[in-house]
Amino acid sequence: MKLSKATNYALHTMLFLAVTSPHEHVGVAKLAEKQHVSPTYLSKILTKLVKSGMVISVSGANGGYKLIQGWEKISLLDVIKAIEGLSSMSDNCLNHNPNCLIQKAIESAENKFLNELNQTHMGDLANQIGETSLI
Amino acid sequence: MKLSKATNYALHTMLFLAVTSPHEHVGVAKLAEKQHVSPTYLSKILTKLVKSGMVISVSGANGGYKLIQGWEKISLLDVIKAIEGLSSMSDNCLNHNPNCLIQKAIESAENKFLNELNQTHMGDLANQIGETSLI
DNA sequence: GATATTGTGGACATATTAAGTCTGTAATTA
DNA sequence: TAATTACAGACTTAATATGTCCACAATATC
Ligand code: SF4
Ligand code: SF4
């Protein structure tokens, strides 16, 4: 019931790109150094963000990653889903009975969680930051 | 981000005890058979429920497990916490900064989830069941 | 066009956690 | 006392997350 480290890296990367250089490309080496994680591993995570359309990558010298246009509207849920996939918390039951009370109760609570994450956007966080210490 | 199978077993066991025999003792063999899980494994899970005070166990012939008095007010959250522990979803960060925006956002959403689970009680589920097919 | 730079892909290795087993012991009843 | 049942701890196995390695593709600079 914890988010993975990979998700945490992804969220930090997004936020870092947002507050430092939303328009310039940043290489994975720099991003990895900030988070004390190996560049090779972080690059796999970044590729997922690229595949899900929230980050743009450019190869070659002076290449790197930057956020898409409209990144302000990307939600925390978008990022989490891009890394963790979409499985529900009650995905541990074989017997998928649609009337199941247990599943209904858990999914209802889970939706409260997902809705709030879906309403928190990168732009909101990026605005609040800068006043506080960064990442 | 999924609940463990162990939690699922625990929820089923609680609900089963609630709807069948909230006052008689039921042995682990029967409980395990219902869920197609090994008795030894399920007994470990049951011991956690006993330790956290929501189930009473009795050794010896005709012994077994039953729910405590007032089981109707036990919440789904109580059961989940008894099995999974209390770690937060954002427990993947080393750098516990109390002003962290990422952690705040995740924890806020998580609280919505926990609150709803905390307001869903075994008594509610047990009442709804019986009309529908059981477990 | 050659070369350096940077991201991508896949196979692999390691670490962590979950799931499940085995066995002996303690408690209770008949 | 003998049978029954829960409890405890060590252990094994399975699943998943985390991380590494290396060859290759794409791009910029010269
Ligand atoms: S920004 Fe938040 S999650 Fe990231 S390192 Fe700081 S405290 Fe941890
Ligand atoms: S009661 Fe719900 S969770 Fe349990 S087996 Fe049925 S469908 Fe699955």
Side-chain angles (χ1 to χ4, degrees), chain A residues 45-75:
Chain A
I45 295 165
L46 277 159
T47 299
K48 283 191 181 181
L49 296 178
V50 171
K51 288 273 176 62
S52 44
M54 51 189 80
V55 166
I56 292 173
S57 68
V58 169
S59 287
N62 299 318
Y65 299 92
K66 70 170 184 178
L67 299 179
I68 58 166
Q69 297 295 327
W71 61 269
E72 295 90 349
K73 291 302 176 198
I74 296 173
S75 73

Side-chain angles (χ1 to χ4, degrees), chain A residues 8 12 135, chain B residues 93 95-97 100 103:
Chain A
N8 201 33
H12 280 77
I135 306 186
Chain B
C93 168
N95 199 12
H96 284 299
N97 177 349
C100 169
Q103 289 187 341

